[in-house]
Amino acid sequence: MSILLGEDHWFSAALQISRKCVRYIFLESEEAMERYLKVLGIIGVCAALSACGDKTTGQACLGPNNSGLVEGMQSECKAGDAIATKHPAYFCDFNYAVAYNDYNSAMCIYSGKQKPERTEQ
């Protein structure tokens, strides 16, 4: 390849060189391509997960002896607290997991208030 190129050939020469570099870096070495795709995938997953907003408080609202139900403590608990309840349909935010136990109650994330559709008759 000549160093002196005409004005119309400089772009095609640069394109050929860049294609050869990409081919050498990625296609000649399958391991390098796999590593590149893995890193790119991890970055994509991290970006997607960091965009998700978590509205939990990280606090448990279970009373002084950690055995209280939210039914008696609605004024003390805030939305996003972990709670125990006998009526998950009234108090739980079902965007999060709900764990049921053998005592006929559930642990969940408090929605902040009793659901209006459950109180209207």
Side-chain angles (χ1 to χ4, degrees):
M1 181 185 325
S2 174
I3 296 179
L4 299 173
L5 297 172
E7 289 182 21
D8 55 342
H9 296 292
W10 70 269
F11 181 73
S12 62
L15 190 58
Q16 286 177 355
I17 292 171
S18 65
R19 284 183 184 162
K20 287 181 182 179
C21 290
V22 168
R23 199 173 303 133
Y24 174 76
I25 292 171
F26 294 116
L27 300 180
E28 297 293 328
S29 172
E30 290 182 24
E31 293 173 3
M33 182 65 171
E34 287 178 18
R35 275 184 273 153
Y36 174 76
L37 290 176
K38 284 179 186 177
V39 169
L40 193 62
I42 290 170
I43 290 171
V45 168
C46 290
L49 291 177
S50 66
C52 299
D54 188 14
K55 296 183 175 52
T56 59
T57 62
Q59 303 294 319
C61 186
L62 299 172
N65 59 356
N66 292 326
S67 64
L69 298 173
V70 74
E71 284 82 353
M73 301 183 304
Q74 288 184 44
S75 60
E76 299 171 26
C77 298
K78 298 181 293 201
D81 286 352
I83 59 163
T85 180
K86 291 278 188 185
H87 307 285
Y90 290 86
F91 301 103
C92 293
D93 184 350
F94 285 96
N95 292 321
Y96 299 94
V98 177
Y100 296 94
N101 60 35
D102 293 339
Y103 298 106
N104 203 19
S105 63
M107 298 286 295
C108 62
I109 300 298
Y110 185 44
S111 62
K113 59 185 176 202
Q114 192 169 358
K115 300 254 175 20
E117 63 269 14
R118 302 288 182 193
T119 59
E120 295 174 0
Q121 293 186 14

